């Protein structure tokens, strides 16, 4: 039932067509879209939310899909009263920074997703932003879907276009929209996770190169921080998807649960990748710190070797600088060049010995 839907959504995702603009629309201060679907076909002439819901409930067919972007408490209060949304869910929908979750309030399902975007950059630095996150809330009832976006990421234009291209799937009702949104969000996780691998490969290559820079530690820490941000979006979604895939929920038909399990499998792939990346970065960091320690030891050996070489002429000059009257060869005509020669030969032999031992 949902396999064709997933392919259609992914095709829309690759085209990156945006039908839901992250701006305030003429439909209302926060309403971006208000559309009625009947038998999977988009209906015209439903600009007002009340009129759209009235048309759906008068005929008992289809559902209304309302899209909002960062609504205020006052802006959402009217919709909450019209659709019977629970006050606690409305409060969570208004205030962002929620963990991914699925909650049931009678016959209404409230789902929270974290959206992610890979931030393009020419070169990873110690201050580069790699992952940008947002939030997406979904209210699902028998005859309505309300989507609320926070942040610049998470546009549902490709999802809506993909669903409208598959009316037989969209005709299944709000559950098909919820599945398409979940699949779209998890596909973004997989895409961002794959993109992050390029940064990890670049850091790994730099660390193990012959000219590995000591400043790579800052880049590694920054990448670990960005991976942590990504993990905060990906990992907590496992439990909500498990609920949608296994628990009997009125808003999710039994035949749809298998497809939520498929989305959960994709999420598991992204989670496993992130766990592997984190372990790999730990290894890279340890290798980098070991390289820094080895480089410091080499520097200390070089400093010690040169100090030993310089110590020979320093000692000789120090002895002859004591100005005693009776010193060896003090009045010899060739004493000065002979002492210089002895110091030079001694320094050469010491330098040669250090070179053979790898200290210089």
């Amino acid at each position: 039932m949902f396999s064709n839907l997933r392919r259609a959504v992914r095709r829309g995702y690759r085209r990156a067509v945006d039908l839901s603009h992250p701006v305030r629309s003429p439909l209302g201060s926060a309403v971006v879209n208000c559309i009625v679907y009947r038998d999977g076909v988009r209906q015209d002439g439903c600009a007002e939310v009340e009129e759209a819901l009235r048309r759906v409930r008068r005929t008992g067919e289809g559902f209304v899909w309302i899209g909002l972007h960062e609504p205020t408490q006052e802006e959402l209060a009217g919709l909450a009263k019209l659709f019977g949304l629970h006050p606690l869910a409305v409060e969570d929908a208004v205030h962002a920074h929620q963990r991914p979750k699925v909650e049931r309030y009678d016959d209404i399902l409230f789902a929270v997703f974290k959206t992610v975007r890979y931030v393009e950059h020419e070169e990873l630095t110690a201050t580069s932003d790699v992952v940008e996150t947002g939030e997406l809330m979904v209210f699902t009832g028998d005859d309505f879907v309300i989507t609320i976006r926070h942040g610049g990421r998470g546009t549902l234009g490709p999802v809506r276009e993909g669903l409208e291209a598959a009316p037989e799937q969209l005709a299944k009702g709000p559950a098909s929209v919820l599945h398409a949104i979940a699949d779209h969000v998890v596909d973004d996780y997989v895409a961002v996770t794959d993109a992050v691998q390029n940064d990890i490969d670049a850091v790994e290559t730099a660390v193990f190169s012959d000219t590995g820079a000591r400043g790579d530690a800052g880049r590694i820490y920054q990448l670990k921080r960005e991976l942590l941000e990504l993990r905060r979006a990906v990992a907590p979604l496992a439990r909500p998807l498990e609920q949608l895939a296994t628990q009997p929920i009125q808003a999710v038909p039994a035949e749809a649960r298998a497809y939520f399990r498929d989305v959960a499998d994709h999420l598991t792939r992204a989670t496993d990748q992130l766990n592997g990346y984190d372990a790999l970065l730990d290894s890279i960091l340890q290798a980098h710190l070991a390289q820094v320690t080895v480089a410091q030891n080499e520097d200390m050996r070089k400093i010690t070797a040169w100090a030993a070489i310089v110590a020979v002429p320093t000692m000789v000059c120090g002895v002859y600088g004591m100005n005693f009257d009776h010193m060896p060869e003090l009045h010899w005509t060739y004493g000065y060049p002979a002492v210089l020669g002895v110091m030079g030969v001694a320094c050469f032999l010491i330098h040669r010995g250090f070179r053979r031992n790898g200290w210089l």
Side-chain angles (χ1 to χ4, degrees):
M1 170 175 117
F2 287 80
S3 57
N4 294 331
L5 170 62
R6 184 180 302 107
R7 286 194 292 270
V9 170
R10 287 175 180 169
R11 285 197 299 270
Y13 172 75
R14 286 194 291 269
R15 288 194 295 269
V17 178
D18 185 4
L19 302 179
S20 299
H21 306 288
V23 295
R24 305 294 181 174
S25 81
L27 299 178
S29 57
V31 178
V32 177
N33 274 311
C34 176
I35 300 172
V36 170
Y37 293 96
R38 182 177 300 164
D39 296 327
V41 179
R42 179 173 181 162
Q43 305 296 303
D44 296 328
C46 300
E48 294 294 334
V49 175
E50 294 83 354
E51 175 61 23
L53 183 61
R54 190 179 302 114
R55 288 179 56 179
V56 169
R57 292 183 173 175
R58 183 173 62 246
T59 61
E61 298 178 352
F63 65 94
V64 57
W65 182 353
I66 303 170
L68 301 96
H69 181 257
E70 297 184 353
T72 64
Q73 185 80 37
E74 294 75 15
E75 290 168 339
L76 196 54
L79 288 178
K81 182 177 181 180
L82 183 63
F83 290 94
L85 307 181
H86 196 279
L88 292 177
V90 172
E91 182 179 357
D92 288 345
V94 172
H95 303 289
H97 310 296
Q98 304 293 324
R99 283 174 57 88
K101 61 182 179 179
V102 171
E103 295 179 344
R104 284 177 288 178
Y105 297 94
D106 296 329
D107 58 345
I108 297 177
L109 190 68
F110 176 61
V112 178
F113 301 96
K114 284 279 190 180
T115 58
V116 298
R117 182 181 72 88
Y118 179 75
V119 180
E120 297 289 345
H121 47 270
E122 295 182 0
E123 182 181 0
L124 180 68
T125 66
T127 58
S128 294
D129 289 330
V130 178
V131 178
E132 178 184 330
T133 61
E135 291 188 27
L136 178 62
M137 289 83 166
V138 183
F139 289 94
T140 307
D142 293 333
D143 53 9
F144 68 89
V145 176
I146 301 175
T147 55
I148 301 172
R149 295 190 296 115
H150 290 272
R153 184 59 188 159
T155 176
L156 297 177
V159 177
R160 188 184 295 271
E161 186 183 60
L163 286 168
E164 291 179 355
E168 69 282 1
Q169 306 298 337
L170 191 56
K172 303 298 182 181
S176 64
V177 178
L178 181 61
H179 167 264
I181 292 173
D183 192 47
H184 175 74
V185 169
V186 173
D187 279 349
D188 276 348
Y189 292 165
V190 174
V192 172
T193 302
D194 291 339
V196 169
Q197 185 174 3
N198 296 328
D199 291 317
I200 296 177
D201 291 342
V203 169
E204 184 179 23
T205 301
V207 167
F208 290 101
S209 65
D210 295 335
T211 59
R214 296 186 180 182
D216 285 334
R219 299 200 299 166
I220 298 173
Y221 277 117
Q222 177 65 14
L223 198 52
K224 284 183 68 67
R225 284 195 296 267
E226 294 297 310
L227 277 181
L228 178 61
E229 184 72 17
L230 184 56
R231 285 166 63 91
R232 287 173 178 169
V234 176
L237 187 58
R239 177 59 180 167
L241 285 180
E242 181 183 354
Q243 290 180 261
L244 293 173
T246 60
Q247 297 183 9
I249 301 175
Q250 181 176 347
V252 180
E255 62 270 17
R257 296 173 193 165
Y259 298 94
F260 282 105
R261 286 198 296 270
D262 184 65
V263 176
D265 289 340
H266 295 170
L267 181 72
T268 301
R269 174 200 163 188
T271 303
D272 291 343
Q273 279 186 289
L274 289 176
N275 292 335
Y277 291 165
D278 191 58
L280 179 59
L281 281 176
D282 286 337
S283 300
I284 293 174
L285 181 59
Q286 292 299 323
H288 171 70
L289 295 177
Q291 287 181 329
V292 170
T293 301
V294 170
Q296 290 176 341
N297 290 337
E298 290 179 353
D299 292 342
M300 289 302 299
R301 289 197 304 178
K302 290 179 180 179
I303 293 172
T304 302
W306 282 112
I309 294 172
V310 174
V312 173
T314 301
M315 181 186 65
V316 174
C317 293
V319 170
Y320 277 89
M322 290 187 290
N323 297 321
F324 290 109
D325 289 335
H326 303 287
M327 296 185 68
E329 312 303 338
L330 188 61
H331 300 288
W332 183 36
T333 303
Y334 300 103
Y336 178 70
V339 171
L340 291 180
V342 170
M343 289 190 297
V345 171
C347 290
F348 172 76
L349 293 176
I350 296 175
H351 182 273
R352 184 179 180 183
F354 282 131
R355 286 293 295 271
R356 284 185 174 180
N357 292 329
W359 283 49
L360 289 175

